[in-house]
Amino acid sequence: MKIAAVLTCFNRKDKTLNCIKKLMHQYKTIDIYVCDDGSTDHTSEAIKKKYPNVKVIKSNGGLFWSKGMFQGMKAAVTKDYDFYLMVNDDVDFYDNMLEIMLNSYESANGNCSIVGSTQSSFSKKLTYGGSVLKTKLNINKKFLLSPTGKVQKCDFANWNCFLIDKFTIDNVGLIDNAYEHGIGDFDYSCRMKKKNIPMYVATDYIGTCERNPIKNTFGDNELSIKKRLSLLLSAKGLPIKSSFRFYWKNYKIIGVPFLLWMYLRILLSISLNKPC
């Protein structure tokens, strides 16, 4: 069985090295592809020194997450693996992560993808994983599914840990590299749904990962309104181009009111100096 792991990184050398170490403990012949998007903390050099067999794809800092993952996937698919494991380098994987993911895949009878759930190392609460729509009438309202010991079908998957089989790659392709940073993982979920390829939440937690803090983001009400607006429209916020692409591409005219409502709600919170 051939397995490739794909991740992108930027100036988180210690976390990236820890992620690679944990991945190598999962499976003796796993191939790892890292897209280093212009790190200045010598991440690439450290990887090459400690893990010379890891494939490092270097960029100049303009890719961000979705485009970085695209480059990693593009390199990996040339080797025709059985599975492609998409991960974030800030996940601290449990030793049996891959076993849980592969067993969940078998439980779901194959021809699907599996999303691994992470929990906070402090509170042990669910942080990332697979989510379902609360109601089909509101495409913006989702809730995460906690692992139950059995696989659970989901609508959307965070790519903190996401196992894609060859069948899915052959039918859906790579992540869309038109997105400026985020949303690419949720877009991939929508593309899978259109192809009638299911996604399932793995049976158990696969590691720890903290939720991204709101400090120094557009949600931080300690920042000025001008700064928050700038962050909102930045690549790591909710850039208009990427947001419009996601809603129009996946929902057409139905998605426009939800897109507008999302921005109006956020702008109202910013104008009232409230967190969001």
Side-chain angles (χ1 to χ4, degrees):
M1 181 168 55
K2 294 171 60 181
I3 302 175
V6 178
L7 61 144
T8 186
C9 67
F10 178 71
N11 282 348
R12 299 199 293 197
K13 180 173 65 177
D14 291 340
K15 287 186 177 182
T16 303
L17 291 174
N18 179 66
C19 180
I20 293 171
K21 180 181 75 172
K22 291 296 182 76
L23 287 171
M24 287 188 162
H25 285 170
Q26 303 290 329
Y27 193 66
K28 61 182 179 181
T29 58
I30 192 169
D31 290 338
I32 301 174
Y33 295 78
V34 179
C35 181
D36 182 355
D37 191 25
S39 294
T40 57
D41 63 352
H42 306 292
T43 298
S44 291
E45 292 80 2
I47 294 172
K48 289 178 180 178
K49 182 178 180 180
K50 197 166 186 178
Y51 304 107
N53 291 329
V54 170
K55 287 78 173 173
V56 178
I57 303 147
K58 298 191 72 172
S59 182
N60 60 6
L63 294 181
F64 294 94
W65 185 78
S66 286
K67 289 181 171 64
M69 292 301 287
F70 175 85
Q71 292 299 326
M73 293 179 77
K74 182 180 177 182
V77 295
T78 62
K79 298 294 182 67
D80 201 30
Y81 292 92
D82 299 303
F83 292 98
Y84 301 83
L85 183 66
M86 307 294 114
V87 300
N88 278 1
D89 65 358
D90 59 348
V91 180
D92 192 11
F93 292 111
Y94 296 144
D95 290 340
N96 62 342
M97 174 272 287
L98 191 57
E99 179 184 356
I100 291 171
M101 298 293 282
L102 291 173
N103 286 344
S104 297
Y105 179 81
E106 292 299 323
S107 295
N109 298 316
N111 287 355
C112 64
S113 290
I114 302 295
V115 54
S117 301
T118 61
Q119 58 187 157
S120 168
S121 59
F122 304 105
S123 67
K124 303 303 179 184
K125 291 182 179 180
L126 174 66
T127 52
Y128 294 101
S131 57
V132 294
L133 292 172
K134 287 186 176 181
T135 169
K136 292 183 179 180
L137 298 177
N138 190 340
I139 58 178
N140 284 341
K141 285 192 175 293
K142 312 173 186 70
F143 68 92
L144 287 168
L145 294 172
S146 298
T148 63
K150 296 182 179 180
V151 293
Q152 304 170 81
K153 199 170 185 179
C154 60
D155 297 314
F156 297 93
N158 294 126
W159 279 22
N160 299 68
C161 182
F162 189 57
L163 185 70
I164 308 175
D165 65 356
K166 184 180 183 301
F167 175 82
T168 302
I169 289 288
D170 289 344
N171 285 276
V172 180
L174 311 182
I175 191 172
D176 187 344
N177 72 336
Y179 291 106
E180 293 154 273
H181 180 58
I183 316 181
D185 48 1
F186 277 17
D187 174 79
Y188 202 87
S189 300
C190 293
R191 290 162 60 196
M192 287 183 63
K193 195 178 300 183
K194 290 175 183 176
K195 295 285 187 176
N196 294 315
I197 302 174
M199 293 171 291
Y200 295 91
V201 175
T203 54
D204 298 290
Y205 286 106
I206 52 80
T208 61
C209 183
E210 305 308 318
R211 291 289 302 182
N212 290 328
I214 66 167
K215 187 174 179 60
N216 293 322
T217 71
F218 67 81
D220 186 355
N221 66 336
E222 294 184 0
L223 301 177
S224 68
I225 290 177
K226 182 179 179 181
K227 181 63 174 177
R228 292 179 72 183
L229 289 173
S230 175
L231 289 170
L232 172 65
L233 300 177
S234 69
K236 289 189 175 182
L238 291 172
I240 292 174
K241 179 182 175 182
S242 290
S243 298
F244 180 81
R245 179 176 180 82
F246 174 78
Y247 280 90
W248 184 260
K249 177 182 175 184
N250 295 298
Y251 302 105
K252 301 302 181 186
I253 194 67
I254 296 173
V256 174
F258 292 100
L259 172 64
L260 294 175
W261 173 243
M262 177 185 71
Y263 276 115
L264 286 172
R265 181 174 52 82
I266 293 170
L267 289 171
L268 180 62
S269 295
I270 291 175
S271 66
L272 296 174
N273 199 33
K274 292 183 177 181
C276 57

